[in-house]
């Protein structure tokens, strides 16, 4: 086939190709809430071409409703591809949510403007889609070419008055137009997006179409996975840019260090404050239903091309009164479900925290001993990532190294985030992809 000679012809041909492909591999807007085939199975049957390259798990409703206005969310891709598609969720909504229009476009990550073309996004071929209460939809493929670590602006217009679901801490700025301003999704300048929010609304995942990728690795856990501390570079320091979570650094390592034939995407499924077990006696009401077992389906198994999970849970379990037995019971349930889906599980022992009681530290030791047994959690997981050893203070092993501490004794600063990312074994992650 001769090369395409103009961007418009290239986009048209790509869109036609992807429309035909998506009809057999994508989960459509009208069936997403009731589909029974797993995304992993659907992806495998389509040659594993779709991979989730960005995610932020929804956790609650926003404090202020949207009223006939548009949102522009900036998503940072771990890997790029020839096209992308988006997931919109109404997980916590009590009424249907109508999206009148959606667009995607390149962003410089510094503001609401779109660089280059603004491309319309459709759902089963239509601009408008209704997301049922408690449901979700995936879009059709949009022919936007992207590279690894690109920022993509996802814009959505919502009609009526509705309270959107959100991921509370985006660790970057996202944007809203004024109430009553209507559909401004096609605007490239971003001048209508006058309100700034620190949360991510409505959109919870972005897939890329890239048959050369080997898989997606999902980081699953609480605040240290979510990114708390990733904006802290120390006293008197202002971080340059965004995306300093250890998962962002890990994605950059993969791009730089692995050969082109071994590339992986990284998706972040962390939610601050959550636990592995739903049964910790002091779990607050605000995290009910957000434990690792309860949200596993929508936040991990519903993503695409997932081959491995980095499991980083347990610190909040101990703080909320769980003992080793309850924690390991939840581990076993999650690990069994992941491995049954063909997904490998790599576990980090519970990291130190100076507020733990002696009983907490005994339970932390018990969980760590189990996880490190054979480096396979006594045969229930596939590998261990010793983040507890990375973060611990060598003089006070039940505390975080002061060089990595944000000051609360719990969360890693930017230096600590980088140290975690640098420690992860890339061959271990590649092993999750099998022989593909």
């Amino acid at each position: 086939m001769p090369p395409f000679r103009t961007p418009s012809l290239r986009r048209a041909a790509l869109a036609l190709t992807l429309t035909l492909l998506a009809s057999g591999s994508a989960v459509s807007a009208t069936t997403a809430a009731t589909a029974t085939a797993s995304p992993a199975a659907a992806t495998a049957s389509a040659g594993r071409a779709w991979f989730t390259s960005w995610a932020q798990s929804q956790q609650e409703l926003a404090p202020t409703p949207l009223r006939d206005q548009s949102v522009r969310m900036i998503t940072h891709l771990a890997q790029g591809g020839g096209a992308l598609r988006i997931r919109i969720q109404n997980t916590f909504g009590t009424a249907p949510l109508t999206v009148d229009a959606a667009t995607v476009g390149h962003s410089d990550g510094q503001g609401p403007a779109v660089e280059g073309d603004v491309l319309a996004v459709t759902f089963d071929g239509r601009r408008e889609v209704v997301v049922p209460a408690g449901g979700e939809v995936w879009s059709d493929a949009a022919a936007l070419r992207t590279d690894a670590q690109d920022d993509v602006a996802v814009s959505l217009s919502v009609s009526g008055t509705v309270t959107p679901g959100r991921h509370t801490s985006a660790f970057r700025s996202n944007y809203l137009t004024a109430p009553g301003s209507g559909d401004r999704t096609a605007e490239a300048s971003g001048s209508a997006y006058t309100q700034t929010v620190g949360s991510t609304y409505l959109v919870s995942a972005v897939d890329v179409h890239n048959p050369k990728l080997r898989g997606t690795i999902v980081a699953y856990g609480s605040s240290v996975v979510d990114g708390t501390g990733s904006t802290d570079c120390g006293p008197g320091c202002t971080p340059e840019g965004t995306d300093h979570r250890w998962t962002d650094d890990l994605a950059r390592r993969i791009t730089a260090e692995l050969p082109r034939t071994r590339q992986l995407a990284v998706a972040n499924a962390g939610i601050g404050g959550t636990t592995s077990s739903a049964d910790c006696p002091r779990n607050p009401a605000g995290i009910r239903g957000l434990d690792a077992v309860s949200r596993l389906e929508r936040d991990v198994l519903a993503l695409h091309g997932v081959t491995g999970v980095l499991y980083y849970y347990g610190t909040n379990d101990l703080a909320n009164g769980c003992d080793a037995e309850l924690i390991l019971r939840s581990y076993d349930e999650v690990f069994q479900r992941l491995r049954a889906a063909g997904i490998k599980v790599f576990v980090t022992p519970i990291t130190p925290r100076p507020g733990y009681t002696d009983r907490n530290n005994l339970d932390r030791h018990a969980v760590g001993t189990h996880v490190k047994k054979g480096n396979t959690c006594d045969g229930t997981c596939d590998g261990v990532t010793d983040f507890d050893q990375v973060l611990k203070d060598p003089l006070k092993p039940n505390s975080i190294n002061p060089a990595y501490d944000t000051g609360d004794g719990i969360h890693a600063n930017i230096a600590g985030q980088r140290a975690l990312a640098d420690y992860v074994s890339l061959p271990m992650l590649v092993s999750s992809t099998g022989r593909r």
Side-chain angles (χ1 to χ4, degrees):
M1 179 183 292
F4 297 123
R5 299 186 182 279
T6 68
S8 59
L9 286 174
R10 187 186 303 117
R11 285 195 300 271
L14 181 61
L16 176 60
T17 301
L18 290 172
T19 297
L20 293 173
L21 183 147
S23 66
S25 67
V27 181
S28 72
T30 56
T31 62
T34 58
T36 56
S38 72
T43 306
S45 67
R48 299 184 71 90
W50 287 103
F51 298 88
T52 300
S53 189
W54 172 90
Q56 283 196 333
S57 304
Q58 286 204 351
Q59 64 192 95
E60 64 181 6
L61 292 174
T64 304
L66 299 172
R67 295 182 174 88
D68 294 308
Q69 61 193 115
S70 298
V71 305
R72 180 161 286 174
M73 304 290 112
I74 310 301
T75 63
H76 184 74
L77 302 183
Q79 294 284 354
L84 56 78
R85 63 190 182 190
I86 63 174
R87 179 172 73 168
I88 302 172
Q89 284 186 295
N90 191 20
T91 302
F92 300 97
T94 57
L97 181 149
T98 299
V99 174
D100 297 310
T103 65
V104 291
H106 288 285
S107 165
D108 66 2
Q110 303 302 309
V114 172
E115 298 183 325
D117 294 337
V118 181
L119 302 185
V121 174
T122 60
F123 303 86
D124 282 344
R126 298 183 292 271
R127 293 295 306 276
E128 179 184 290
V129 66
V130 177
V131 189
E136 65 178 46
V137 298
W138 286 89
S139 76
D140 303 328
L144 183 72
R145 288 187 177 274
T146 54
D147 294 321
Q149 284 80 59
D150 272 359
D151 288 307
V152 171
V154 178
S155 304
L156 306 169
S157 172
V158 176
S159 64
T161 298
V162 64
T163 303
R166 69 169 181 171
H167 182 88
T168 303
S169 300
F171 299 105
R172 70 177 315 130
S173 292
N174 287 312
Y175 308 95
L176 312 177
T177 63
S181 57
D183 177 12
R184 308 302 289 268
T185 58
E187 179 185 300
S189 72
S191 60
Y193 291 85
T194 55
Q195 299 182 35
T196 301
V197 293
S199 300
T200 300
Y201 289 2
L202 299 173
V203 58
S204 61
V206 177
D207 284 359
V208 296
H209 183 266
N210 187 342
K212 295 182 180 179
L213 293 179
R214 295 288 299 273
T216 290
I217 303 297
V218 178
Y220 196 41
S222 54
S223 55
V224 180
V225 173
D226 193 7
T228 301
S230 65
T231 57
D232 184 340
C233 55
C237 170
T238 300
E240 297 181 3
T242 56
D243 311 308
H244 294 297
R245 300 176 301 176
W246 66 268
T247 52
D248 300 318
D249 288 332
L250 177 60
R252 286 188 280 269
R253 273 194 65 206
I254 288 170
T255 301
E257 298 177 26
L258 287 179
R260 294 179 64 185
T261 57
R262 293 291 185 269
Q263 289 291 300
L264 299 160
V266 178
N268 190 304
I271 296 180
T274 57
T275 57
S276 182
S277 173
D279 299 323
C280 300
R282 293 193 297 274
N283 276 352
I287 65 167
R288 187 173 295 119
L290 295 176
D291 60 276
V293 177
S294 298
R295 68 186 186 94
L296 183 66
E297 181 65 38
R298 69 173 179 264
D299 289 345
V300 179
L301 295 175
L303 303 181
H304 294 96
V306 179
T307 57
V309 165
L310 287 163
Y311 196 83
Y312 188 170
Y313 257 122
T315 57
N316 292 327
D317 294 71
L318 292 176
N320 292 352
C322 263
D323 60 15
E325 181 181 356
L326 281 173
I327 294 170
L328 291 174
R329 189 184 304 162
S330 68
Y331 279 23
D332 287 344
E333 183 174 351
V334 173
F335 300 169
Q336 287 175 16
R337 288 173 62 186
L338 289 172
R339 298 178 92 192
I343 296 169
K344 288 194 173 182
V345 186
F346 309 113
V347 184
T348 184
I350 300 174
T351 48
R353 189 165 173 167
Y356 288 151
T357 64
D358 289 346
R359 178 71 258 173
N360 289 154
N361 279 316
L362 287 171
D363 285 320
R364 184 167 79 89
H365 177 75
V367 172
T369 299
H370 175 82
V371 166
K372 294 180 182 182
K373 189 173 182 180
N375 279 336
T376 63
C377 312
D378 198 18
T380 63
C381 71
D382 301 280
V384 177
T385 302
D386 292 309
F387 284 176
D388 58 328
Q389 300 302 307
V390 176
L391 292 182
K392 76 176 184 180
D393 184 341
L395 299 179
K396 300 177 181 178
N398 289 328
S399 298
I400 292 180
N401 188 326
Y404 298 154
D405 191 355
T406 60
D408 64 6
I410 301 171
H411 299 104
N413 59 21
I414 289 176
Q417 303 275 340
R418 189 176 301 116
L420 293 176
D422 287 346
Y423 188 83
V424 177
S425 166
L426 300 189
M428 179 187 74
L429 300 185
V430 171
S431 74
S432 72
T433 66
R435 296 184 178 181
R436 184 181 181 276

